[in-house]
Amino acid sequence: MNMNIPFTNSYGALPARFFTRQTAVPVRAPRLIRFNEDLAADLGIPHTDEATLAQVFAGNAVPEGADPLAQVYAGHQFGGFSPQLGDGRALLLGEVVDRTGTRRDLQLKGSGPTPYSRMGDGRAWLGPVLREYVVSEAMHALSIPTTRALAAVATGEPVYREAGGMPGAVLTRVASSHIRVGTFQYFAARRDLEGLRALYDYTVARHDPQAESPADLLDTVIRRQARLVAQWLSVGFIHGVMNTDNTAISGETIDYGPCAFMDTYHPQTVYSSIDAHGRYGYDNQARVIVWNMAQFATTLVPLMPDQDAAVEDFTAKVHAMPDLIETERQRLFGRKIGIAEPTADDAALVDDLLNLMAEARADFTNTFRGLIDGSARKAFADPDAFDVWADEWRARLKLEDDPEAVMRAANPAVIPRNHRIEQMIEAAVAGDYAPFERLIEILSQPFADNPEASDLKRPPQPAEVVQATFCGT
Ligand code: AMP
Ligand code: MG
């Protein structure tokens, strides 16, 4: 029983202290929940039978050419530094080069304990696995950089969480790498200059071969992260755990935990049950990512020949980041109201609408999408203020060629709403995977006007509102 995955691994050639080699702990009765055929084709992974897929993506069978290992990293969690974290419930299976020539990691998540598990059991339960599957694939369909989901397998074993025994599962995710800000922090905190240099060289070769110095790498990563967070804001996405170990150098969204898409708009929205102070709330994301990039910059200083000059230069780069984010945010939100090439002069129009929406507790997704057909007005109990805004808006749109096309491409009709995710998980726990399959299917075309998706477009009824989301670790 085996699979022909065209592995071509590179991380395992780094110094031994970068990881611990080990295999997954086999599970009792693996059963395939879903295999992402389209993604597999992109990765050059040939089709095979379900039983083999279940064995391989549960970790029971090690495919030829795999080099399973747990990566070590560190990270600031809610602002406090942990000098050693690492893959506590994940294993890098290996790497493949995809159709476009990009190297991608295949990683099992929920595959059993590793030396980095600390108090954890190394496992995942079905809920977070399906949630990450659906949300990461939805993000991809929204054209937002993200890790992808290749496979979900039920283990046939229970996992014990606060709520008791839950069905266990393993997710296989695909990332353009799993190098995190926290990976750099691990070596920097130990003053392991050789390790830091090796990581820097590896990162540049893999992600940014044009970078000529750590300063160039910092610029590029700051640009990618600025763009990413602006994209999150533009669809109402709240990551929920923007710790530095969950911030990828690649600029992909990574580590979906208590993440959420906002229903009603309010800038201080927080869903995560572990985020008591709203550190990672909706609009704080733009500030926290700057803080995370400051931590990244700090790790790069020891690599510079003149460290005093580097501190000055890197500080300036980090200080310039809020403007980068704001410019990108204005561009994306300008497009949401139909302006193809928004300028700074258009920012007030966007912010006025957002203020009205916050006051009215308007549904974020449906209000923007409703600008296309005029239904947005319904979101405002007192429509007078909205009408005043809309007059000004329509006057501005007279200067545009095809504002409707711009809005259609910028405002999804359907997003993975929290209550639908929870209902999907509940059904799956009871053995019904139809809602899971349907969410994936409909969310793969988020910008389409799909009459069959009307129930998924509806905001939650009061009794359906999800108050808090959980890590599920
Ligand atoms: P996260 O909040 O998911 O980014 O995880 C933070 C750290 O905790 C990472 O090092 C994870 O590998 C580890 N971790 C989370 N859940 C578990 C678990 N169930 N068993 C072992 N380690 C875990
Ligand atoms: Mg993490």
Side-chain angles (χ1 to χ4, degrees):
M1 180 170 298
N2 222 321
M3 251 188 104
N4 191 9
I5 300 176
F7 285 114
T8 151
N9 304 325
S10 63
Y11 208 82
L14 283 163
R17 60 191 185 282
F18 276 61
F19 51 79
T20 302
R21 273 205 170 82
Q22 73 162 79
T23 47
V25 179
V27 297
R28 199 183 304 146
R31 194 183 58 75
L32 186 70
I33 298 170
R34 196 170 201 280
F35 184 60
N36 190 337
E37 299 281 357
D38 292 347
L39 178 57
D42 286 348
L43 299 174
I45 300 176
H47 188 80
T48 183
D49 62 281
E50 279 201 13
T52 303
L53 292 172
Q55 290 292 334
V56 167
F57 294 113
N60 282 20
V62 182
E64 200 173 316
D67 184 15
L69 55 87
Q71 294 173 315
V72 73
Y73 50 84
H76 278 95
Q77 300 180 302
F78 290 90
F81 187 64
S82 296
Q84 196 212 285
L85 295 166
D87 293 333
R89 53 166 166 166
L91 285 176
L92 175 67
L93 211 50
E95 303 148 35
V96 298
V97 174
D98 73 12
R99 262 190 194 155
T100 69
T102 305
R103 180 177 293 277
R104 315 271 291 269
D105 282 2
L106 267 57
Q107 193 204 57
L108 302 178
K109 197 169 168 184
S111 48
T114 75
Y116 315 121
S117 297
R118 297 175 293 164
M119 307 302 281
D121 59 3
R123 293 297 183 188
W125 76 273
L126 187 61
V129 166
L130 300 185
R131 169 192 278 270
E132 174 158 349
Y133 198 120
V134 168
V135 180
S136 66
E137 287 300 299
M139 291 288 266
H140 172 70
L142 291 164
S143 299
I144 298 179
T146 178
T147 61
R148 303 281 310 272
L150 178 65
V153 175
T155 61
E157 292 178 1
V159 170
Y160 295 94
R161 294 291 180 266
E162 298 81 5
M166 309 301 276
V170 178
L171 178 77
T172 303
R173 72 175 170 191
V174 175
S176 65
S177 89
H178 285 84
I179 304 168
R180 305 150 190 271
V181 169
T183 319
F184 279 83
Q185 289 181 293
Y186 177 80
F187 296 101
R190 304 176 143 230
R191 303 187 196 287
D192 177 355
L193 203 58
E194 241 175 74
L196 191 62
R197 171 69 62 187
L199 177 64
Y200 167 78
D201 289 341
Y202 179 86
T203 303
V204 166
R206 184 159 176 178
H207 290 293
D208 299 292
Q210 77 296 343
E212 285 175 4
S213 73
D216 286 350
L217 180 65
L218 178 60
D219 271 333
T220 315
V221 175
I222 283 178
R223 230 177 301 122
R224 280 199 285 260
Q225 285 293 340
R227 176 138 196 275
L228 179 66
V229 169
Q231 284 182 289
W232 289 353
L233 297 176
S234 78
V235 295
F237 179 76
I238 304 166
H239 181 284
V241 210
M242 288 175 70
N243 293 334
T244 56
D245 52 304
N246 295 338
T247 300
I249 299 302
S250 66
E252 288 178 341
T253 310
I254 194 170
D255 278 6
Y256 291 83
C259 61
F261 280 78
M262 257 190 313
D263 293 305
T264 54
Y265 173 68
H266 197 281
Q268 271 115 48
T269 304
V270 179
Y271 284 95
S272 168
S273 59
I274 54 170
D275 192 2
H277 303 290
R279 178 182 172 91
Y280 300 141
Y282 173 76
D283 69 343
N284 264 356
Q285 299 184 113
R287 289 183 274 278
V288 164
I289 196 59
V290 176
W291 193 87
N292 288 358
M293 288 299 102
Q295 307 314 312
F296 180 49
T298 303
T299 70
L300 296 175
V301 170
L303 297 174
M304 299 294 285
D306 180 345
Q307 300 197 3
D308 290 337
V311 168
E312 202 170 310
D313 175 33
F314 290 4
T315 303
K317 291 184 192 311
V318 171
H319 284 170
M321 191 182 186
D323 275 348
L324 281 181
I325 301 171
E326 180 56 15
T327 303
E328 186 62 7
R329 188 191 74 89
Q330 287 176 9
R331 192 179 75 81
L332 295 176
F333 275 83
R335 295 181 66 82
K336 288 177 81 69
I337 62 168
I339 302 169
E341 306 280 349
T343 68
D345 292 339
D346 297 313
L349 198 55
V350 165
D351 289 338
D352 287 348
L353 176 62
L354 286 171
N355 288 336
L356 292 175
M357 286 169 61
E359 242 167 74
R361 303 269 157 165
D363 185 83
F364 182 84
T365 302
N366 291 355
T367 304
F368 277 109
R369 184 76 182 185
L371 292 173
I372 297 170
D373 65 6
S375 64
R377 189 172 187 272
K378 283 192 308 205
F380 302 89
D382 166 16
D384 291 352
F386 176 76
D387 290 340
V388 171
W389 177 84
D391 283 346
E392 200 183 324
W393 172 56
R394 274 187 282 269
R396 172 63 183 84
L397 288 194
K398 291 216 169 72
L399 307 173
E400 295 293 315
D401 289 338
D402 191 352
E404 179 172 334
V406 173
M407 286 191 281
R408 278 191 185 284
N411 297 317
V414 54
I415 48 146
R417 290 186 185 266
N418 306 311
H419 65 297
R420 294 301 181 195
I421 300 264
E422 299 226 333
Q423 289 164 6
M424 171 278 285
I425 292 171
E426 226 172 275
V429 169
D432 175 11
Y433 286 88
F436 169 66
E437 293 291 341
R438 180 161 177 262
L439 274 180
I440 291 171
E441 171 71 29
I442 288 176
L443 291 167
S444 71
Q445 304 279 348
F447 298 102
D449 274 324
N450 180 353
E452 270 159 50
S454 58
D455 59 319
L456 299 183
K457 294 178 195 163
R458 227 188 318 108
Q461 305 292 315
E464 291 175 322
V465 172
V466 173
Q467 303 294 351
T469 51
F470 298 86
C471 269
T473 54

